[in-house]
């Protein structure tokens, strides 16, 4: 062991993966330094107060999990409210409940019982002739039928991913539940909520007592920073780490147009998805409803999805076959990189939810912090 090194771990990225690992490492007596190129901690779950409202600066984040260990872990750093995600879909002025449930089926077809809804879906599935769904379109039609696919999935998905539904992997649409009950809860999770006071505060609590250097770009100063610690936990984009030498992985980026409105209630819900192809934004978030706000004003963000290019913030990995193959090659390089561990949505190029990021960091702690 090189005793000159000041820290056991240099953690690159103060998002959820980095903050979780840092917290456990410190608790296990390790010396850790967390760096982040942004001027703030919390990565893409960063929230900022505007007009007394916690604004989800990098897109809406609703914490939900079935993992009791993860739930207990986050509850150690924040109190969670009872927010339940129930987005509304707006298709050319027609409003539908999400996820797909009896309210959606009733509005779409006039059916009133689960049996009628099932029959309708089955009819549409049969006439499409799909047995083994090969892509998102086939998967969607076999789950909910052609009408719902056309009005609530096709346009939204093509805007969100910038690709035809026939070119996207089926698993993306399987994130959404289909229910023959009148349950508007978007997630099939036992535990759900928003940290009272915002995610930034929660991450700050995770990082309490830990040295954090902001505005510090690891890749720009890698040689010097590497000298500081025995090991590096890298949570940035894996292809960026290797200077894109095998080519760039594809990501989707998101742009937000945020407005303060001098009215107390703009859309009556935290999220409204615009599922037609023509509306240029994918959804509008009204941030106050995540915390049942009673402020006199409101803050809304229109969300626009775009193809990532160098210099943009990457948000979503495009987990199709082509990128999967390229990622495998990067992973091989990563495995050869001594003393560096890659983690998180960008480090593992995986469409992780927050709870999965935490679970994966806690898993790493088991082997790393023995
Ligand atoms: N989706 C859709 N219509 C909607 C909402 C979602 O077709 O109104 C599809 C779309 O392909 C999207 C996927 O379901 O990428 C997953 O949606 P989710 O809400 O989980 O995405 P996230 O919140 O991570 O952006």
């Amino acid at each position: 062991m090189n005793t000159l090194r000041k820290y056991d771990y240099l953690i690159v990225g103060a998002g959820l993966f980095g903050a979780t690992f840092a917290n456990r490492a410190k608790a296990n007596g390790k010396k850790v330094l967390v760096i982040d190129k942004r001027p703030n901690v919390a990565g893409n779950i960063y929230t900022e107060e505007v007009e007394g409202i916690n604004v989800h600066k990098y897109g809406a984040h609703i914490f939900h999990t079935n993992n009791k260990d993860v739930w207990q872990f986050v509850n150690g750093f924040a109190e969670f409210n009872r927010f339940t995600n129930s987005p509304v879909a707006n298709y050319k002025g027609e409003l539908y409940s999400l996820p797909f449930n009896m309210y959606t089926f009733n509005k779409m077809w006039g059916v009133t019982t689960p049996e009628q809804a099932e029959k309708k879906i089955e009819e549409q599935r049969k006439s499409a002739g799909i047995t083994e769904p090969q892509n998102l379109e086939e998967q969607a039609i076999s789950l909910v039928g052609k009408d719902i696919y056309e009005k609530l999935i096709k346009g939204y998905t093509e805007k969100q991913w910038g690709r035809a539904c026939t070119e996207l992997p089926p698993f993306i649409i399987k994130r959404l539940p289909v229910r023959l009950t009148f349950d508007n809860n978007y997630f099939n999770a036992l535990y759900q909520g928003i940290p009272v006071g915002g995610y930034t505060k929660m991450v700050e609590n995770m990082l309490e007592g830990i040295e954090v250097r902001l505005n510090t770009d690891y890749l720009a100063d890698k040689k010097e920073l590497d000298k500081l610690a025995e090991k590096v936990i890298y949570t940035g984009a894996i292809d960026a780490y290797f200077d894109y030498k095998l080519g760039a992985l594809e990501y989707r980026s998101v742009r937000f147009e945020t407005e303060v409105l001098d009215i107390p209630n703009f859309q009556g819900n935290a999220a409204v998805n615009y599922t037609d192809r023509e509306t240029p934004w994918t959804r509008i978030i009204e941030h106050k409803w995540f915390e049942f706000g009673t402020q006199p004003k409101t803050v809304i963000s229109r969300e626009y999805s775009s193809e990532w290019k160098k210099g943009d913030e990457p948000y979503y990995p495009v987990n199709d076959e082509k990128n999967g193959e390229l990622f495998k090659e990067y992973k091989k390089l990563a495995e050869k990189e001594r003393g560096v561990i890659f983690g998180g949505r960008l480090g593992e190029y995986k469409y992780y939810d927050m709870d999965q990021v935490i679970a994966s960091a806690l898993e790493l702690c088991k082997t790393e912090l023995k």
Side-chain angles (χ1 to χ4, degrees), residues 113-125 180:
T113 67
E115 198 184 339
Q116 292 167 354
E118 211 165 11
K119 219 172 126 204
K120 197 83 194 163
I121 295 172
E122 187 54 31
E123 259 169 43
Q124 300 205 346
R125 183 186 295 139
L180 294 167

Side-chain angles (χ1 to χ4, degrees), residues 23-38:
N23 179 277
R24 296 329 300 150
K26 177 167 188 281
N28 280 272
K30 304 291 184 194
K31 281 178 278 170
V32 296
L33 170 64
V34 178
I35 62 173
D36 200 294
K37 66 178 171 188
R38 288 190 188 159

Side-chain angles (χ1 to χ4, degrees), residues 204-363:
E204 280 168 0
N205 289 341
M206 292 167 85
L207 293 170
E208 203 183 299
I210 293 170
E211 189 181 344
V212 179
R213 289 187 203 164
L214 299 173
N215 303 301
T216 304
D217 186 346
Y218 174 69
L219 296 177
D221 199 17
K222 185 173 182 312
K223 245 186 165 166
E224 286 306 305
L225 290 162
D226 280 342
K227 289 182 192 157
L228 296 174
E230 297 294 329
K231 272 193 175 176
V232 174
I233 307 289
Y234 177 83
T235 73
I238 187 167
D239 53 346
Y241 181 94
F242 293 105
D243 202 20
Y244 308 102
K245 68 178 171 195
L246 306 176
L249 289 162
E250 292 176 303
Y251 301 88
R252 295 296 288 173
S253 193
V254 188
R255 181 171 64 80
F256 300 95
E257 277 179 9
T258 297
E259 266 182 82
V260 179
L261 303 178
D262 206 1
I263 50 169
N265 188 358
F266 172 72
Q267 63 184 18
N269 204 32
V272 177
N273 293 358
Y274 286 76
T275 58
D276 66 294
R277 189 69 190 85
E278 293 73 29
T279 305
W281 52 85
T282 49
R283 52 190 167 194
I284 301 181
I285 302 300
E286 187 168 12
H287 301 268
K288 70 193 307 178
W289 303 126
F290 289 125
E291 298 184 64
F292 313 98
T294 53
Q295 299 85 351
K297 293 188 184 180
T298 194
V299 183
I300 61 164
S301 299
R302 288 189 174 77
E303 201 171 314
Y304 299 83
S305 179
S306 62
E307 197 65 19
W308 172 88
K309 49 186 188 339
K310 283 182 200 169
D312 295 345
E313 289 291 348
Y315 283 74
Y316 296 89
V318 181
N319 287 122
D320 61 10
E321 222 168 284
K322 182 180 89 184
N323 288 299
E325 289 304 314
L326 183 54
F327 172 69
K328 268 192 213 154
E329 297 305 311
Y330 274 118
K331 194 156 188 276
K332 282 185 203 156
L333 292 181
E335 275 155 10
K336 282 193 223 140
E337 199 71 4
R338 291 190 50 205
V340 186
I341 295 165
F342 293 75
R345 198 187 254 218
L346 300 176
E348 296 176 56
Y349 195 66
K350 233 181 186 167
Y351 191 177
Y352 270 145
D353 287 331
M354 288 181 281
D355 64 324
Q356 297 169 317
V357 168
I358 293 172
S360 128
L362 292 176
E363 207 43 48

